[in-house]
Amino acid sequence: MSRLVGISILVVDDESDMRAILRDNFEDEGAKVYEADGGHAALSLVTSAAIDVVVSDHNMAEGDGIGLLKNLRQMDPQTPVFFLYSGCIQLNRKTVIDLGARDLFAKPIDEESLISAIESSVRDRCR
């Protein structure tokens, strides 16, 4: 099944293994995937490529997810952003949604739930 055909997704994570896992899952569903290892690289990609959805780690060495989200909201308030996290974080789902993210997912990722959320967010944006 190819539920993400025609969707471009930017995966932002400083862990190359996590980017590869997400890239493979999203490409298996038909998405075009871009990758960045931090917030600064992600912002460069967003300005040069047509990105439909951003999936970002919350805590990265180079540019954290919250800073990225705030910048993305200034550039395009409608782009769906999903946060990933591992361990304990100071944020909760309500906080990240209030900041403009669509949802928050714990690592290890339930790929099916994340893909369904992405699919739904793009469908909602097209309405």
Side-chain angles (χ1 to χ4, degrees), residues 13 22 55-58 82-86 105 107 109 114:
D13 200 309
L22 292 170
V55 177
S56 176
D57 190 19
H58 167 263
F82 295 90
F83 270 131
L84 312 177
Y85 73 94
S86 58
F105 289 87
K107 294 179 183 178
I109 305 299
L114 179 56

Side-chain angles (χ1 to χ4, degrees), residues 9 12 22 67 72-73 90 109:
I9 301 173
V12 188
L22 292 170
L72 289 171
R73 286 295 148 252
Q90 298 294 332
I109 305 299

Side-chain angles (χ1 to χ4, degrees), residues 7-9 32 34 45-53:
I7 298 172
S8 62
I9 301 173
K32 177 170 180 59
Y34 298 88
L45 272 170
V46 167
T47 60
S48 65
I51 304 294
D52 297 313
V53 176

Side-chain angles (χ1 to χ4, degrees), residues 5-56:
V5 171
I7 298 172
S8 62
I9 301 173
L10 172 57
V11 175
V12 188
D13 200 309
D14 55 354
E15 297 176 25
S16 61
D17 290 345
M18 179 55 66
R19 288 195 314 270
I21 290 167
L22 292 170
R23 179 193 63 234
D24 291 347
N25 280 299
F26 296 155
E27 286 179 345
D28 286 349
E29 291 291 337
K32 177 170 180 59
V33 180
Y34 298 88
E35 296 179 50
D37 61 1
H40 302 297
L43 288 173
S44 293
L45 272 170
V46 167
T47 60
S48 65
I51 304 294
D52 297 313
V53 176
V54 176
V55 177
S56 176

